[in-house]
Amino acid sequence: MERLQKIISARGITSRRNAEKLIVEGKVKVNGVVITELGFKASPDADIEVNGKQTTKNNEKFYYLFNKPRLVLTTMYDPKQRKTVADYFKDVPTRVYPVGRLDYDVSGLIIMTNDGEFANFVMHPRYEFFKTYQGLCKGKVSKQQVSQLLKGVKIEDDYFTKAIQAELLNYDQEKDQTIVEMTIAEGKKHHVKQMFSAIEANLMKLKRTKIEFLEVDDLEVGRYRELKPHEVKKFYGIYQSTKRKEDLKVK
């Protein structure tokens, strides 16, 4: 017997955290009975409905690295009929969903999977997986401003946060635009945008170029590729590594 939210997550319906929300809202049935108790346990082979739809046990796991375009929602459905990440995965063998989020107006890398346990692991704040972003800013961003990102800034509700890495990549004098690269190990809502705002940089566009060792490379915007088995496995070893613990000392 396993907790209901774990079974739902393992079947690739949604993350464990969101499954808990659905249970509390009375949107989950087990063998025809509505369940609202988070501690409820069921057989992994139980008859489970979520939002009125029957779920099926799926033992095959799928993992994709997706280069999300701007103006695309990181959700599986939008009542306003705006484009979502789900629109790009209609031809895959099973329903996959995003691991974490990227703002509507932010482009770049996001992992899509039907493996709820993996998704829950990667999203958990305890493991502090690194994510790298490039921000296109109007005007010239100074070395002092970038240095402040490394020293730390206060964002919403006086929350203090630091970049793991930050550097000036390029200043285009003709266009009067600067590209700043920053790596963080946290993920509050609008986190990176707020950090740019804290150093008074005029952010125009933002894209995520890396998730840990996964890089955008030549993956075109709006396209995806399958993750290799060793890439999936590598995530589980990262947090235990000595190098990771040393990297986090800069925080």
Side-chain angles (χ1 to χ4, degrees):
M1 303 290 279
E2 295 181 349
R3 287 185 179 271
L4 182 54
Q5 57 266 41
K6 182 178 180 180
I7 299 172
I8 293 172
S9 176
R11 292 189 183 187
I13 305 304
T14 186
S15 68
R16 191 185 300 188
R17 186 177 302 176
N18 196 47
E20 291 175 349
K21 181 181 176 184
L22 292 170
I23 293 169
V24 172
E25 292 175 350
K27 296 180 179 178
V28 177
K29 288 183 180 181
V30 177
N31 298 325
V33 179
V34 175
I35 303 298
T36 57
E37 178 190 349
L38 289 180
F40 184 86
K41 292 186 177 182
S43 164
D45 297 315
D47 179 8
I48 299 174
E49 290 182 29
V50 178
N51 279 327
K53 294 183 179 180
Q54 190 72 33
T55 68
T56 56
K57 186 176 181 181
N58 188 346
N59 292 322
E60 188 173 5
K61 305 301 181 185
F62 295 87
Y63 311 86
Y64 301 97
L65 184 66
F66 178 47
N67 191 355
K68 184 186 87 71
R70 293 180 72 248
L71 308 184
V72 171
L73 288 169
T74 311
T75 185
M76 301 306 292
Y77 170 75
D78 178 48
K80 296 181 181 179
Q81 301 300 311
R82 289 172 293 181
K83 206 158 196 175
T84 74
V85 291
D87 294 320
Y88 294 84
F89 288 85
K90 293 179 177 178
D91 295 329
V92 300
T94 188
R95 181 182 184 274
V96 293
Y97 56 89
V99 179
R101 307 186 75 82
L102 272 182
D103 286 350
Y104 180 64
D105 59 346
V106 176
S107 64
L109 298 182
I110 193 162
I111 296 171
M112 303 284 292
T113 185
N114 67 334
D115 185 343
E117 291 301 301
F118 174 76
N120 190 60
F121 173 73
V122 174
M123 287 189 292
H124 200 293
R126 169 205 271 178
Y127 303 111
E128 299 184 301
F129 289 112
F130 292 178
K131 301 175 184 68
T132 300
Y133 299 81
Q134 289 181 5
L136 177 65
C137 303
K138 182 64 178 175
K140 189 171 186 178
V141 178
S142 69
K143 291 182 180 179
Q144 289 75 20
Q145 285 173 288
V146 174
S147 178
Q148 190 60 52
L149 293 171
L150 294 168
K151 293 176 182 177
V153 296
K154 285 186 177 181
I155 57 176
E156 191 176 62
D157 297 327
D158 281 338
Y159 181 79
F160 185 77
T161 183
K162 294 180 183 180
I164 298 295
Q165 171 272 340
E167 63 178 308
L168 291 170
L169 289 189
N170 181 60
Y171 172 65
D172 188 322
Q173 188 171 4
E174 184 176 338
K175 294 181 179 179
D176 191 28
Q177 294 176 349
T178 306
I179 298 177
V180 177
E181 183 173 85
M182 172 173 27
T183 299
I184 63 171
E186 301 175 274
K188 287 182 172 289
K189 189 174 182 180
H190 307 315
H191 197 115
V192 177
K193 290 178 180 177
Q194 291 188 65
M195 290 183 73
F196 273 103
S197 179
I199 63 168
E200 298 183 347
N202 186 3
L203 183 64
M204 299 166 61
K205 288 184 179 180
L206 185 64
K207 64 180 178 181
R208 183 191 285 166
T209 57
K210 288 180 66 177
I211 302 174
E212 282 293 343
F213 54 90
L214 299 174
E215 300 188 47
V216 68
D217 292 328
D218 57 354
L219 186 62
E220 296 179 8
V221 175
R223 304 297 295 269
Y224 61 83
R225 71 167 178 84
E226 285 194 62
L227 290 183
K228 299 176 177 64
H230 79 267
E231 291 176 321
V232 176
K233 186 177 180 180
K234 191 172 181 178
F235 273 95
Y236 291 99
I238 285 175
Y239 185 72
Q240 300 300 325
S241 72
T242 301
K243 182 179 184 303
R244 167 48 48 88
K245 293 173 183 177
E246 290 175 351
D247 288 342
L248 287 170
K249 287 179 183 178
V250 304
K251 290 184 65 181

